[in-house]
Amino acid sequence: MKNVLFAVSEAVPFIKTGGLADVAGALPKAFDKKEYDIKVMIPKYACCEHLNEYELVFEGEVDVSLAWRKQYVGVFSTVVDGVTFYLLDSEYYFSGPKPYGQIYEDIEKFSFYSKVVFEACKILNYHPDIIHCHDWQAALVPVYLKTLYKDDPLFAGTKSIFTIHNLLFQGRWIIDEVKDKTGLPESVFANGDLECYGEGNLLKGAVLYADKVTTVSQVYADEMKTPEGGEGLDNIFRFKGDNFTGIVNGLDTDEFDPSKDKMIFKNYDVKTFKTGKRENKLKLQKMLGLNEDKDVMLIGMVSRLSVQKGFDLITYMAEEFLTTSHSQLVFLGSGEDNIADKLCYLSNKYPGRVSTNVCYSEDLSRKIYAGCDVFLMPSQFEPCGLSQLISMRYGTIPLVRETGGLKETVEPYNEYDKTGRGFSFANYNAHELLETLRYAQKIFYDQKKDWDALVRKDMKLDFSWEVSAEKYKELYDGLLE
Ligand code: ADP
């Protein structure tokens, strides 16, 4: 049995601001403990949830120094669904109302966290064979491993993996402050290992120092090697060669299951989807004030209201689409006000045909996944994407732009040989989106049998974490052989 330690800034069930927490919560459970025992180390934020539902065991305490600073840390452990979580307690660093704040504070906070990962292992007398670090907040772990802790016998032979969940966030800050806050030796900075275009850049350091680097789809990995997708670091990713790969995230298939989901109007499975989805559609239409029509194509979108998600394409072509078709649109999202305003304009102008819901609602999101025929994701970029996986599991055909994880998971439908899983378009262009919607309508309205076969096929796909875990296992095996 080999030890793998996840160094990560958030994990379900304790703290979640995005998909990273789902990965950190779900992936360790999908491993066979006889081969790899994965433990997870996160900060014990004051804003952590469910802490009182678990028995926290105090493992020890230590004063940790970071350059000229020194702060107390307490190490706690608890077990969730068979996975050990270590929670690192520092009132000084982790007591804010949210895990993340201003970048200048976060640089110091997560430099400290990364250092504590090693000090906590010492308290626990725990030797990790691999430290698997996630996103910029844990980016200094591979750097510390090869510098400050390289001669520590507890970490002899320890390898590191760094996984990027979103390249937009790199931990960039004024280089002199990064020098001061990380406490790293001057040689690291003399080589420019933590510097990019004159700025300090923690993520760059992780990419250079980690033994393996991964991201959450192979297509996103390939995009990161290009100037368009590399966010200024494309040369570093190209330099990494075969040590940089992509592994698609899984889906919690128990949580997202239309045959058991308590939030949808009627449960259904691959055998009963026709009646089940019809009832979900009619009740959703009624609930949202849309015209009740079981035969109309209902197109849904559940998303952060962010430029990344392609809303400018939708608002650009929506009126042309609505005035030339019978289909209906339902939006659920929260985020940027100007996007919300444009979607509300559409629902005001086309009552009964467009429903805009500006809020965060797990309940409504499930009803949309179950009741719609098509799920829209025309993203500018998408590292992996979860929503298209959920929609396929609910028999709602995704219509996506061919980018990142969307390109990898939604093979385009081919009406001649009946291959593919959904509808897609290549260029970030509103009329390509419109044409693709029209093509989807043609299959939906005129080739009903083909449509139903597509629904059946998508519902049967296996997106479980076990598939991803197998790929990570191969990566771990390769590092330790
Ligand atoms: P990202 O992580 O970039 O936001 P993903 O597709 O990977 O995009 O994951 C988004 C997840 O958040 C999906 O499960 C989606 O259903 C959910 N979600 C997004 N916005 C909302 C909302 N307003 N209400 C409910 N769920 C939402």
Side-chain angles (χ1 to χ4, degrees), residues 302-304 308-309 332-334 359-362 365 369 377 382 385-387 390:
V302 179
S303 170
R304 286 184 289 118
Q308 178 203 332
K309 300 294 180 179
L332 168 63
S334 57
C359 60
Y360 190 96
S361 165
E362 191 64 40
S365 79
Y369 284 117
M377 272 182 102
E382 197 66 66
L386 183 62
S387 308
I390 305 174

Side-chain angles (χ1 to χ4, degrees), residues 165 173 195 220 281 335 342 366 459:
H165 298 259
W173 190 235
E195 190 172 339
Y220 191 53
K281 183 196 280 188
K342 286 181 186 153
R366 300 299 180 94
M459 288 185 74

Side-chain angles (χ1 to χ4, degrees), residues 83-142:
V83 176
T84 302
F85 281 74
Y86 293 117
L87 294 125
L88 309 174
D89 184 30
S90 160
E91 212 177 300
Y92 182 82
Y93 283 113
F94 304 138
S95 61
K98 293 183 295 186
Y100 314 124
Q102 300 296 328
I103 184 70
Y104 62 90
E105 294 167 336
D106 286 354
I107 293 282
E108 183 174 321
K109 184 194 295 181
F110 291 106
S111 299
F112 183 74
Y113 161 76
S114 301
K115 190 102 190 282
V116 174
V117 166
F118 294 91
E119 295 301 321
C121 287
K122 285 178 156 185
I123 290 179
L124 298 159
N125 195 26
Y126 168 79
H127 163 76
D129 294 292
I130 295 173
I131 311 185
H132 189 162
C133 320
H134 299 265
D135 275 354
W136 81 261
Q137 290 88 350
L140 286 178
V141 172

